[in-house]
Amino acid sequence: MRRAAAIFALIAAGALAPPAAPPALLAQETRPLREDEGTLLNGVDAANQSIVTVVGYPMRYGPPRPGEKLRRLIGSAVVIDERRLITTASMALPGGTLSVLRGKGSEQEARLLGVDRTSNLALFEIDGAVLPSLRRAQPQSSAVGSWVAVISNVSITRPQAALGRVVGRGERIDFPYAGEIVEIDAPTYVGSTGAAVLNEDGEWIAIVVGRAQASRPESEEDGVDRGPAGTEELAPQPNSVLLALPVDQVDRIVSDLAAYGAVRHAFLGVGLVVGSAADSLGVRVVKIWNGSPAETAGIRVGDRILAMEGREMSQPEEITSLVRSKHPGDEIALTILRDAEIIPVKAVLGVIGGESGPTPARAEQIRSLRTHLDSLREESIRLERRLKSLEATPRR
């Protein structure tokens, strides 16, 4: 009971902003906030060190002109281990740089490891400093109706926390990512995309990757576009449904980004169509791509896919969604109806584009080129400083 009282005291004080009444279409039965001696407040406190402010600087061509303001994009990032952090793809500015800001004016440049525009995630790595990571929750640990805390940080030392609740789980047709999305009804702050979502045990369950109802231009959805001062007050915005990726899916995306610099998408290689109303059994195969996993597994045109991974299939979208949720190289079990015979089939999924990722030699070359690019950036900065020094020195 003391814990619930403390939380609502925080709400009254403005430290945790509660969600307003959700739209009627999203109305869910709200579960009561747990009253046991839990760890949500402690989790919010601990997470403050793991939700960091990041600043993206666009690519520059030469030193700034006198009086020119240096534009920057400020957003939130979640620390996932001692050296790596994830933020939104919009912070991975083409040719630009990203810096991690911490207390006492500390700023450290981060190196881009990979970006996936579909899930709106980018993976960065820093050298030297050890970052505290969040405590992860078990997959599927937060059900619809559960209370959560959404923590963002675009102020370096003043993370913003909002109390919300899970109002839905599943795929969304208005978001390009093909996988489960956690929908959260909570007040939001400008630049809060990239925020961490904690459950009632103070564990990390998801990262915010978008909003269902955009109220600002896309460039301001993921970060705050500021000049050098960046002194704006960050006020809560009207409620909208936040879209977040669960941590188990984040881990899979991070694994691909770290190894390949991009997310590999699984591929079966079938063209599908739903049967007529009078013949609606399964999903009919109308095309097989040459050399595809489907052809290798022996699937034929005219076959009907009745089930995949033990789940009954009735729509092409269900099959597409299940395949996209897998990794290239995963084996999937299908139940096929051919004529009057039911046939079990196993297929090993391929990669869209036919590549399985870089070879070790290619991966080493990528790392070498990234290191070389970093050294060129450092040399460019050194030369700019030398040029400024020479220009400032009076002629004799």
Side-chain angles (χ1 to χ4, degrees):
M1 199 66 187
R2 284 178 293 170
R3 176 173 171 272
I7 290 176
F8 284 110
L10 276 178
I11 293 173
L16 281 176
L25 291 176
L26 295 171
Q28 302 281 345
E29 181 181 351
T30 305
R31 300 180 180 185
L33 197 63
R34 290 204 326 237
E35 298 180 353
D36 59 302
E37 288 295 325
T39 55
L40 177 58
L41 294 180
N42 291 335
V44 169
D45 258 355
N48 287 347
Q49 301 300 315
S50 304
I51 317 299
V52 296
T53 304
V54 288
V55 182
Y57 297 97
M59 174 184 277
R60 294 199 57 83
Y61 299 94
R65 295 184 296 274
E68 179 186 1
K69 291 184 178 181
L70 181 63
R71 303 307 301 177
R72 56 185 182 171
L73 192 65
I74 302 181
S76 302
V78 178
V79 176
I80 58 173
D81 58 37
E82 291 183 349
R83 298 282 186 269
R84 299 183 302 173
L85 51 99
I86 52 174
T87 183
T88 53
S90 64
M91 301 301 296
L93 300 172
T97 59
L98 185 102
S99 291
V100 179
L101 303 187
R102 305 179 74 189
K104 300 180 180 178
S106 169
E107 181 172 354
Q108 186 170 7
E109 188 170 324
R111 180 171 59 256
L112 178 64
L113 297 181
V115 60
D116 179 43
R117 304 288 175 183
T118 301
S119 63
N120 196 26
L121 288 181
L123 175 66
F124 287 86
E125 182 179 53
I126 65 171
D127 296 321
V130 175
L131 301 174
S133 58
L134 290 170
R135 182 163 52 98
R136 281 173 167 76
Q138 292 297 317
Q140 307 297 324
S141 64
S142 186
V144 171
S146 301
W147 289 94
V148 295
V150 181
I151 307 176
S152 58
N153 188 355
V154 292
S155 301
I156 309 175
T157 57
R158 295 186 294 113
Q160 297 81 36
L163 189 65
R165 63 188 183 90
V166 177
V167 295
R169 298 183 73 115
E171 289 192 42
R172 291 186 62 98
I173 61 173
D174 59 350
F175 194 76
Y177 179 75
E180 185 180 48
I181 296 289
V182 178
E183 301 170 347
I184 299 165
D185 179 54
T188 62
Y189 293 83
V190 173
S192 64
T193 308
V197 182
L198 306 185
N199 63 15
E200 287 190 84
D201 293 319
E203 299 169 326
W204 180 36
I205 63 169
I207 181 172
V208 178
V209 291
R211 295 184 181 90
Q213 299 171 358
S215 57
R216 287 171 293 278
E218 185 177 351
S219 62
E220 295 182 4
E221 284 294 321
D222 299 342
V224 185
D225 188 14
R226 295 181 180 170
T231 57
E232 302 94 317
E233 284 296 319
L234 296 175
Q237 303 300 309
N239 275 49
S240 63
V241 175
L242 300 177
L243 307 180
L245 286 187
V247 289
D248 55 327
Q249 297 190 43
V250 170
D251 287 340
R252 293 197 307 180
I253 292 169
V254 164
S255 176
D256 269 8
L257 293 181
Y260 308 107
V263 175
R264 302 182 305 157
H265 298 284
F267 171 66
L268 180 59
V270 293
L272 304 168
V273 66
V274 180
S276 64
D279 183 18
S280 58
L281 190 60
V283 181
R284 186 159 57 92
V285 177
V286 295
K287 182 176 180 179
I288 300 289
W289 271 262
N290 292 332
S292 67
E295 184 182 56
T296 302
I299 300 175
R300 303 175 188 174
V301 171
D303 287 349
R304 294 180 183 274
I305 300 176
L306 302 179
M308 292 181 69
E309 298 292 276
R311 291 165 48 187
E312 183 180 348
M313 297 288 122
S314 59
Q315 298 291 330
E317 292 79 11
E318 294 174 335
I319 295 175
T320 301
S321 175
L322 192 148
V323 170
R324 287 180 178 174
S325 71
K326 300 291 184 180
H327 269 164
D330 287 350
E331 184 181 74
I332 60 171
L334 302 92
T335 303
I336 301 294
L337 175 64
R338 180 176 300 157
D339 298 327
E341 183 180 5
I342 295 179
I343 306 170
V345 172
K346 290 187 176 180
V348 178
L349 298 176
V351 181
I352 291 179
E355 295 184 1
S356 58
T359 62
R362 183 181 170 194
E364 179 58 37
Q365 185 181 23
I366 291 172
R367 282 192 292 270
S368 176
L369 288 173
R370 282 178 176 157
T371 302
H372 183 54
L373 181 60
D374 289 341
S375 67
L376 289 176
R377 285 173 178 159
E378 292 174 1
E379 178 68 9
S380 174
I381 293 172
R382 187 184 67 81
L383 290 174
E384 285 180 10
R385 288 174 179 169
R386 183 179 177 187
L387 179 61
K388 287 180 181 179
S389 175
L390 291 173
E391 290 174 342
T393 302
R395 294 182 180 180
R396 296 180 179 177

